[in-house]
Amino acid sequence: MNCTDAQNLFNRYMDGELGSKKSTILEEHLEACPACRESLGQLRTLVEQAERMPMMISPRRDLWPGIRNRIEEGMAKSTTKEVGIGQIGWPVRSLIAAAAAILIITASVVTVRLFSDGFDSLERFYAGWNQGLVTLAAMEKQYLGVTKDLIYSIGECEDNLPESAREIIEHHLEIIESAIEDSRIALIENPSDTKLQSMLSTTYRQKVELLHWTAQLLTQL
Amino acid sequence: MSKKKADKPVSGPSGNLTVQRAQDGDLGAFEELYRTHMDRVFALCLRLTASEERAQQLTQDTFVLAWEKLSSFRGEAAFATWLHRLAVNTVLQDKRARRRRRERIVSAEDASLIVEAYVVPTPEDRIDLERAIAQLPRRARTVFVLHDVEGYRHEEIAEMMKTSIGTSKAQLHRARNLLRKMLAR
């Protein structure tokens, strides 16, 4: 067993999920390897610290007035028993949802034609990235700027988006964000892996395309 | 792993009576419940979101929801346990979070602000851990806080996060490994 194999087993070993045979092999390695002993010790300390963390933290302002107001507003509303938007027109919402789903799928495979200035500049960065002229850090910085602008413009009129369509968009964003998160984690461990870097840049691009499409949809509603 | 911290009672013997009064519509009794449990709920929300503003909003959301659902609380579990689970679900299902999450990367500076604002003077290693947790990727942070800090089991976490037990374990291992590296710097 080498150090990498050993370190891959540390968490399961600590949590008592490693079989006796593998545990014995790991313990033999630990006996002979001070570096792995130290790493395992650090992990154990970390878990012990986490268990001892204080469970109570006071908010810096009194949250009760806001809670009381919302409860009292809710009580007042429940007495009037208004018919909400959610109780009518569900077939219309379903149609919009279906249309949104189709459009999202389309947006993921077809390049969006009407790019904003920010999106255009990101495209140039992608081109530079593909030619090895732009660093990942520079591309990320550009991505952050573009998504920030898009999120701001979406946020301004997001309430106009039907709930069902919003849920579908959110679902797609969740998937893309998971991929971004996974790539980021993997890159922390292997920062020079070019395949991981490409994967991350691709998922950034997909997210920007989806946000851009959503922003455009909102302008048409 | 110790017994789930959410199961540890934080209210006295009069707690059940207060819950009953609140269930009968006594807002004063519900405020007592809020005063007893708010610190616990806020700590959970703060660690899960790494954002003071969102933690405040979600703490409020949790108690508003608790008031609305109070009739469904039957006393089979401790009120604290029921409320805690409600808080976790409120954070995980937060729709407002989605918009912010699209962009959110907690920087070391953000994390330091959270730590300075909320962490009372304690040994330096704990402050470092709070700061490091705030910088974890969202899903890894969620699983680490729920499992290693709060004491939930992977089965429970998988159910709450609508994911598999294997994914929950993988995220926990990633979180621990990242934290170990951050703290070893």
Side-chain angles (χ1 to χ4, degrees), chain A residues 1 9 12-13 18-27:
Chain A
M1 178 177 280
L9 298 176
R12 287 167 60 199
Y13 180 68
L18 208 58
S20 58
K21 194 176 173 183
K22 279 189 178 172
S23 293
T24 306
I25 297 169
L26 176 61
E27 283 160 4

Side-chain angles (χ1 to χ4, degrees), chain A residues 23-96:
Chain A
S23 293
T24 306
I25 297 169
L26 176 61
E27 283 160 4
E28 283 170 6
H29 176 84
L30 288 168
E31 193 75 25
C33 180
C36 282
R37 277 206 304 276
E38 189 186 349
S39 295
L40 181 61
Q42 287 169 341
L43 266 184
R44 281 198 168 123
T45 304
L46 169 71
V47 174
E48 285 165 11
Q49 279 178 18
E51 285 181 1
R52 289 199 307 267
M53 289 179 100
M55 288 294 100
M56 296 192 190
I57 300 175
S58 298
R60 284 193 288 185
R61 65 180 175 91
D62 187 4
L63 305 178
W64 175 250
I67 294 168
R68 189 189 56 223
N69 286 345
R70 284 172 61 184
I71 288 173
E72 286 173 348
E73 278 171 21
M75 288 159 97
K77 272 185 192 169
S78 68
T79 56
T80 58
K81 289 189 177 178
E82 290 173 357
V83 177
I85 293 168
Q87 290 170 277
I88 56 172
W90 65 267
V92 176
R93 293 204 314 278
S94 299
L95 282 172
I96 293 170

Side-chain angles (χ1 to χ4, degrees), chain A residues 102-140:
Chain A
I102 292 164
L103 282 168
I104 288 167
I105 291 163
T106 308
S108 65
V109 294
V110 178
T111 306
V112 180
R113 290 181 186 173
L114 301 169
F115 296 119
S116 64
D117 289 345
F119 199 77
D120 272 341
S121 68
L122 189 67
E123 284 293 288
R124 287 195 292 276
F125 265 78
Y126 277 123
W129 161 256
N130 288 332
Q131 292 163 26
L133 303 172
V134 172
T135 63
L136 182 65
M139 207 272 290
E140 267 190 325

